[in-house]
Amino acid sequence: MERTFIMIKPDGVQRGLVGEIIGRFEAKGFTLVGLKSLSVSRELAEEHYDVHKERPFFGGLVDFICSSPVVAMVWEGDGVVASARKLIGATNPLSAEPGTIRGDFGVSVGLNLIHGSDAIETAQKEINLWFSEKELLSWEPTV
Ligand code: CMP
């Protein structure tokens, strides 16, 4: 079954949007198979955003992700990678559609609340980076 990595960034946690964001994934019918709150090390943030390491915003982005706790999650379901990106909305909240998480609550490209994997292969890499095998559940809803 397809899985994706979702992180509620420090701005989402500080603004009290954790419940709202989790609720949107639950309402869509996806299954939560991993969840933890953590303070991110510089090493983890740099590895996670390695693809952006040459960009001018890289240092500020890493500083921000490490500045206060995040909520890291793994969600499972058919087509969850692409569907989660739709729920989240465009990277810049000013361009994100109303009804998406960033469109409804995001402030700026630097304060866009949430990260979601951009492809199935990236999701696998990010899940392995953020979670150990023991931290992930294997279950299916029965009700
Ligand atoms: P995310 O989906 O986590 O992936 C990369 C992040 O880089 C992105 O969300 C933004 O938060 C951040 N980002 C992209 N462009 C900029 C920018 N111009 N200035 C600051 N942050 C940016």
Side-chain angles (χ1 to χ4, degrees):
M1 182 68 86
E2 192 172 309
R3 289 178 169 186
T4 196
F5 172 72
I6 300 293
M7 170 184 41
I8 305 176
K9 298 181 183 181
D11 52 331
V13 175
Q14 289 190 29
R15 289 178 57 199
L17 291 170
V18 172
E20 169 75 33
I21 289 171
I22 289 177
R24 290 191 179 208
F25 284 84
E26 287 181 323
K28 189 71 182 169
F30 293 127
T31 304
L32 184 60
V33 296
L35 172 73
K36 61 183 173 185
S37 178
L38 72 157
S39 295
V40 183
S41 68
R42 211 160 173 92
E43 185 187 11
L44 175 57
E46 286 178 353
E47 176 73 24
H48 175 76
Y49 282 121
D50 185 59
V51 70
H52 297 301
K53 67 171 179 284
E54 303 302 335
R55 309 285 286 273
F57 57 80
F58 179 73
L61 176 60
V62 168
D63 287 346
F64 177 60
I65 293 300
C66 300
S67 65
S68 71
V70 305
V71 173
M73 300 179 275
V74 178
W75 289 88
E76 185 175 273
D78 284 335
V80 69
V81 173
S83 184
R85 297 277 291 188
K86 283 191 186 153
L87 287 178
I88 290 169
T91 302
N92 187 343
L94 301 178
S95 317
E97 294 291 328
T100 65
I101 293 164
R102 288 173 176 158
D104 288 349
F105 304 109
V107 172
S108 65
V109 72
L111 296 174
N112 66 357
L113 300 169
I114 180 169
H115 166 86
S117 307
D118 63 3
I120 292 175
E121 305 73 51
T122 323
Q124 200 47 60
K125 198 174 143 231
E126 291 177 349
I127 291 167
N128 290 339
L129 180 65
W130 287 79
F131 285 88
S132 69
E133 199 60 50
K134 277 197 311 200
E135 291 175 312
L136 297 173
L137 305 173
S138 196
W139 72 287
E140 279 180 34
T142 53
V143 292

